[in-house]
Amino acid sequence: MSGGLLVAGTTSDAGKSVVTAGICRWLVRQGVKVAPFKGQNMSLNSFVTREGAEIGRAQAMQAQAARVEPTALMNPVLLKPGGDRSSQVVLMGRPVGEMSARGYHGGRQQALFGTVLECLQELRATYDAVICEGAGSPAEINLRRTDIVNMGIARAAGFPVVVVGDIDRGGVFAQFFGTTALLAPEDQALVSGYLVNKFRGDVSLLEPGLDMLYGLTGRRTFGVLPYAHGLGIDEEDGLRVSLRGAVRESVVAPPVGEDVLRVAVCAVPLMSNFTDVDALAAEPGVVVRFVDRPEELADADLVVVPGTRGTVRALAWLRERGLAGALARRAAEGRPVLGICGGFQALGEHIEDDVESRAGAVEALGLLPVRVRFAPEKTLARPVGEALGEAVEGYEIHHGVADVRGGEPFLDGCRVGAVWGTHWHGSLESDAFRRAFLREVAAAAGRRFVPAPDTSFGALREEQLDRLGDLIEEHADTDALWKLIESGPPGGLPFVPPGAP
């Protein structure tokens, strides 16, 4: 077997990442050697592979679903927004510069297409199957000429396309029909069918519509995936703590101790890798929420200032919102604060930034004895170490270089009283360290909270990936999907007018 499939969507957040991961987990259960692929990803949630390459976290999660090690081949182009009109371009895991949206779509994107196809070809030569994820919608007709992630990939590889639609938003039939009808005949010939995602209720009530859709387009619907409560995976972007819902909704998990622990995460602009707090939310008795007002910090036992693609911009936002003052009061009162990556930088004394914001010298919040200088070269690493007497693993993605001038050592950063700071993402996924950290937080906050002794974040994530595989196996026509992956798009698919303008 040597084949592939492109999972496209009628919209952003239709469920492409979930379906791609689910298909990968289903295939690997069948003994198929499978790899995920997304030619171009736009996300502030990224991951560092073992070879030191930066890729989207969604592709790292999909690689885990496929039970393979993630590599830069799986996401050759990553765009990290730095504002409304520009992004950092990461090519093969390394930043190659900042570019406006107009400049990127004006020529640079198409120049990268060769690299994208080379990566796909290398994966196809190594794996039995490659499951590609599209981006946004394939019917973004203004961008089709420079497309390197949707129908551009499908046409170059000859891959069949399955279009996913989120029925929970409403209008899914119009989305399926309109997506197909706005594609050129050559692209339509690859659109092999549809998958309905997030359905609630009686499927028999939906079936007449699916029959009418087939009559209109000549394309089957390969499955109706039910709405899965508490389904948590690493997201590209958005404000949702993925595993919190899973733990609360799938298992009644009261606190082990007498109190719950409340965690407030400052929703800073250009927030990156907010998945860092998923491991906190996985703990029974820990309640995590995102906040943007100082009064919302009042009852928090721990405040997290997360990573951000714009540290200087985040600092200004914290001050404008009154959150900077609230954080200073917390520190003075000995109430816990954790800064991660850009949040760690913001908690320091001084920032010299001629790279990210080009703002030059900027005074930070002064809660930690740290001075930060932004370097042109980005640090990408997978460090291991020890803190609070426990082993810790993490990953680093930052331009800021920290000069720590005091406090107690804490990972690569420091601690002063109840204020901690580190550049390490993912450290809270180390179970023993997370429990030790939460015990420190509970003691400082005066809470009778006790971490559960057996919570395994890795095991919870595996359970979630298995749930994705179950969704495909139980609710999709896997025989039809297998045939598409193995044999390509079926012949004789009708053209749906009007086609691309």
Side-chain angles (χ1 to χ4, degrees), residues 383-408:
V384 296
E386 184 178 301
L388 305 180
E390 303 291 349
V392 192
E393 297 183 16
Y395 58 99
E396 295 183 69
I397 306 170
H398 54 91
H399 283 280
V401 178
D403 177 13
V404 179
R405 300 185 173 192
E408 302 174 41

Side-chain angles (χ1 to χ4, degrees), residues 1-8 20 23-24 27 33-39 73-74 113 116-134 138 144 147-163 183 185-193 219 222 480-491 493:
M1 178 181 182
S2 178
L5 177 74
L6 176 74
V7 178
T20 300
I23 292 174
C24 285
L27 284 172
K33 188 179 179 183
V34 59
F37 179 77
K38 186 163 186 174
L73 293 172
M74 298 171 184
F113 197 24
V116 169
L117 292 179
E118 288 171 7
C119 291
L120 178 57
Q121 187 58 39
E122 188 169 341
L123 290 175
R124 296 185 72 181
T126 306
Y127 293 88
D128 300 329
V130 180
I131 307 302
C132 305
E133 179 187 347
R144 177 61 184 91
D147 170 41
I148 66 172
V149 65
N150 287 306
M151 301 311 299
I153 281 287
R155 200 189 294 190
F159 278 176
V161 177
V162 173
V163 181
L183 299 179
E186 297 84 356
D187 290 342
Q188 285 196 24
L190 302 175
V191 175
S192 305
R219 288 157 175 86
F222 294 117
L481 292 178
W482 185 281
K483 186 175 181 181
L484 287 178
I485 294 167
E486 193 172 36
S487 305
L493 291 169

Side-chain angles (χ1 to χ4, degrees), residues 116-346:
V116 169
L117 292 179
E118 288 171 7
C119 291
L120 178 57
Q121 187 58 39
E122 188 169 341
L123 290 175
R124 296 185 72 181
T126 306
Y127 293 88
D128 300 329
V130 180
I131 307 302
C132 305
E133 179 187 347
S137 163
E140 291 168 350
I141 53 180
N142 55 315
L143 303 177
R144 177 61 184 91
R145 182 179 60 84
T146 57
D147 170 41
I148 66 172
V149 65
N150 287 306
M151 301 311 299
I153 281 287
R155 200 189 294 190
F159 278 176
V161 177
V162 173
V163 181
V164 178
D166 179 358
I167 197 170
D168 200 47
R169 297 181 176 189
V172 75
F173 294 117
Q175 292 170 25
F176 283 142
F177 181 86
T179 296
T180 308
L182 279 176
L183 299 179
E186 297 84 356
D187 290 342
Q188 285 196 24
L190 302 175
V191 175
S192 305
Y194 312 110
L195 267 173
V196 175
N197 192 29
K198 300 183 184 178
F199 180 73
R200 307 171 192 250
D202 185 346
V203 176
S204 66
L205 298 176
L206 190 66
E207 287 171 350
L210 301 179
D211 292 339
M212 287 185 274
L213 182 66
Y214 177 78
L216 289 166
T217 68
R219 288 157 175 86
R220 291 184 51 204
T221 297
F222 294 117
V224 177
L225 308 183
Y227 192 102
H229 292 277
L231 192 60
I233 62 168
D234 292 343
E235 293 187 280
E236 291 184 356
D237 285 299
L239 280 180
R240 179 174 59 83
V241 184
S242 59
L243 284 174
R244 177 178 59 190
V247 173
R248 296 294 175 268
E249 294 177 20
S250 63
V251 178
V252 177
V256 175
E258 297 180 45
D259 289 343
V260 298
L261 207 64
R262 296 174 176 83
V263 179
V265 184
C266 297
V268 297
L270 300 175
M271 181 166 46
S272 62
N273 288 72
F274 60 82
T275 48
D276 283 332
V277 299
D278 280 5
L280 294 178
E283 285 284 349
V286 176
V287 180
V288 178
R289 67 183 190 273
F290 291 89
V291 303
D292 60 5
R293 295 178 298 182
E295 55 268 27
E296 293 178 295
L297 305 189
D299 67 344
D301 303 307
L302 169 67
V303 174
V304 178
V305 187
T308 172
R309 175 81 165 83
T311 301
V312 170
R313 179 174 169 182
L315 264 172
W317 182 87
L318 289 168
R319 287 178 168 129
E320 290 164 2
R321 295 274 176 150
L323 288 161
L327 289 168
R329 289 189 294 273
R330 287 187 67 90
E333 295 165 1
R335 302 177 67 199
V337 176
L338 171 64
I340 302 174
C341 200
F344 165 43
Q345 297 165 7

Side-chain angles (χ1 to χ4, degrees), residues 83-121:
D84 293 336
R85 297 187 178 183
S86 67
S87 294
Q88 183 181 66
V89 181
V90 179
L91 177 64
M92 294 303 294
R94 296 286 173 179
V96 294
E98 296 279 337
M99 187 164 291
S100 68
R102 181 175 293 276
Y104 183 68
H105 289 287
R108 181 63 185 270
Q109 184 181 36
Q110 197 64 21
L112 298 175
F113 197 24
T115 300
V116 169
L117 292 179
E118 288 171 7
C119 291
L120 178 57
Q121 187 58 39

